[in-house]
Amino acid sequence: MADSNILEIIDLRTHFFTDEGVVKAVDGVNLTVPEGESVGLVGESGSGKSMTAFSILRLIPDPPGKIVSGQILLRGQDLLKLPERQMRSIRGKKISMIFQEPSTSMNPSFTIGSQIEEAIRFHQEGRASDVREKALAVLRSVKIPDPRRILSQYPHELSGGMLQRVMIAIAISCEPDLLICDEPTTALDVSTQAQIITLLNELRSQRKTSFLFITHDLGVLSWICTYAAVMYAGKIVEYADIRSLIRTPRHPYTRALIGASPRLDCDRDALSSIPGTVPNLIEPPAGCRFHPRCGRAETICSSQTPSLKEEERGHWVACFTERNGDGAENA
């Protein structure tokens, strides 16, 4: 892990207060994003990945949601202590986000150009002609052909892949320090996915931007991320560099995710499924939240919650069975 972290999340808890009870969507998350690196956040739907991202940007709808405790440090500055006016100046300028569905994230009533230019004008001063040229420049940087024509078009006139490139252009238009990507390739076909990931890798290399990349696809994660955190039921259960995570996973949930992922060197029948479902976060299981679905669970797993500990250099795991000697090498 790098010595300098652009983002540090400490014991973050984001809850939703509903008529049925309190949903602990993010429950004690600790995560760091090193300067200039790409960190992946992976897990099943409902594990709290997107809520972590929205918490960083303080976009949790209140009510019913509320960040109840924790710290979110951007270069040492706690974002949770800032007034909303100052936070608005950070969104888009220092931290930007690429949302999951570009077709629903853009306003269908305005042209592509007006939406890119709005983001630029909010954070930067300049003449209208300068703003238009900056919009053209960012469209060229995401390899959109004939960008001048695209500026005058509306979102419904573009394909899903082109819209995603426009979303990336808006996100990088003010050159943010941190770019949060919330499953930006999920709605795209495989070839377009590869193009978008290649583009993001090029942008990170050229602009030295740090990434927090949210996905449920470990294959996508291995293409773009340097480090990865595995999230389950509102908690981080494993954190390591991407090679260590893929080659020697230490948490049973991580192993199960890898076992359920298709690989070119494996027969389709070799894929396994994870029994059960992500638990109800109003009344999560006691102890380790994965234990009802874990084939390696011990008595302690149902009564005590394992903390995230560094089991070997740079490899953090929250698992009792791992500490009892049942590591990946014996799996």
Side-chain angles (χ1 to χ4, degrees):
M1 191 180 300
D3 294 332
S4 176
N5 295 317
I6 188 170
L7 180 74
E8 187 173 1
I9 300 174
I10 303 171
D11 198 28
L12 177 65
R13 300 176 191 273
T14 301
H15 298 172
F16 287 80
F17 298 86
T18 70
D19 292 339
E20 290 76 22
V22 180
V23 180
K24 298 178 180 179
V26 180
D27 198 19
V29 162
N30 293 279
L31 181 66
T32 58
V33 178
E35 185 86 36
E37 301 289 0
S38 179
V39 174
L41 191 56
V42 65
E44 294 169 277
S45 297
S47 59
K49 306 184 302 297
S50 293
M51 286 301 104
T52 300
F54 286 126
S55 297
I56 294 170
L57 287 166
R58 283 176 46 184
L59 292 177
I60 300 297
D62 182 8
K66 187 176 180 62
I67 300 174
V68 297
S69 66
Q71 291 179 290
I72 301 173
L73 305 178
L74 180 69
R75 298 192 189 281
Q77 183 180 40
D78 191 351
L79 300 183
L80 299 184
K81 293 182 178 179
L82 299 181
E84 178 58 27
R85 182 176 181 179
Q86 191 172 350
M87 193 65 205
R88 283 198 299 269
S89 69
I90 288 175
R91 298 188 195 107
K93 186 176 182 180
K94 293 186 177 181
I95 307 176
S96 283
M97 187 166 179
I98 302 171
F99 295 94
Q100 185 171 348
E101 290 286 351
S103 59
T104 59
S105 300
M106 301 193 71
N107 192 322
S109 303
F110 293 92
T111 63
I112 299 299
S114 65
Q115 296 186 63
I116 298 176
E117 290 167 19
E118 179 186 20
I120 297 171
R121 282 196 304 269
F122 187 84
H123 294 290
Q124 300 176 0
E125 296 182 357
R127 296 176 300 177
S129 58
D130 294 335
V131 172
R132 173 54 60 103
E133 286 304 313
K134 180 69 179 290
L136 283 169
V138 294
L139 284 181
R140 292 189 189 103
S141 72
V142 297
K143 300 181 179 179
I144 286 184
D146 196 2
R148 200 170 295 276
R149 177 179 62 84
I150 295 297
L151 285 179
S152 63
Q153 292 190 302
Y154 289 84
H156 72 272
E157 298 180 275
L158 302 184
S159 67
M162 289 287 279
L163 271 182
Q164 194 61 281
R165 288 174 186 266
V166 171
M167 285 293 297
I168 295 170
I170 293 173
I172 67 172
S173 62
C174 295
E175 301 181 1
D177 298 324
L178 175 66
L179 187 59
I180 300 174
C181 307
D182 187 9
E183 305 207 32
T185 63
T186 297
L188 306 176
D189 60 77
V190 175
S191 60
T192 308
Q193 272 190 18
Q195 294 171 11
I196 294 298
I197 291 171
T198 300
L199 173 62
L200 289 171
N201 272 325
E202 290 175 358
L203 291 172
R204 181 165 67 92
S205 176
Q206 295 165 3
R207 295 170 179 260
K208 308 302 180 184
T209 304
S210 304
F211 278 61
L212 178 61
F213 196 95
I214 297 169
T215 183
H216 62 270
D217 189 331
L218 283 163
V220 169
L221 203 71
S222 64
W223 281 13
I224 196 168
C225 294
T226 314
Y227 301 93
V230 180
M231 194 166 187
Y232 183 78
K235 294 180 177 291
I236 302 294
V237 297
E238 188 164 3
Y239 180 95
D241 68 87
I242 189 63
R243 288 191 176 184
S244 297
L245 191 82
I246 299 295
R247 293 178 179 177
T248 56
R250 314 264 320 233
H251 195 281
Y253 180 58
T254 309
R255 295 181 201 137
L257 286 177
I258 293 172
S261 301
R263 291 170 49 183
L264 292 176
D265 59 347
C266 289
D267 188 276
R268 182 174 60 182
D269 296 334
L271 290 177
S272 60
S273 61
I274 307 174
T277 59
V278 175
N280 182 344
L281 294 183
I282 294 177
E283 294 182 1
C288 173
R289 293 183 177 179
F290 186 62
H291 87 264
R293 306 173 69 187
C294 180
R296 305 165 64 87
E298 301 176 356
T299 303
I300 191 175
C301 300
S302 61
S303 59
Q304 296 185 34
T305 303
S307 58
L308 195 65
K309 292 188 176 181
E310 191 173 22
E311 297 299 330
E312 59 184 50
R313 184 175 177 82
H315 202 137
W316 298 71
V317 190
C319 181
F320 289 121
T321 62
E322 173 64 28
R323 290 165 204 163
N324 290 340
D326 295 330
E329 65 276 5
N330 298 321

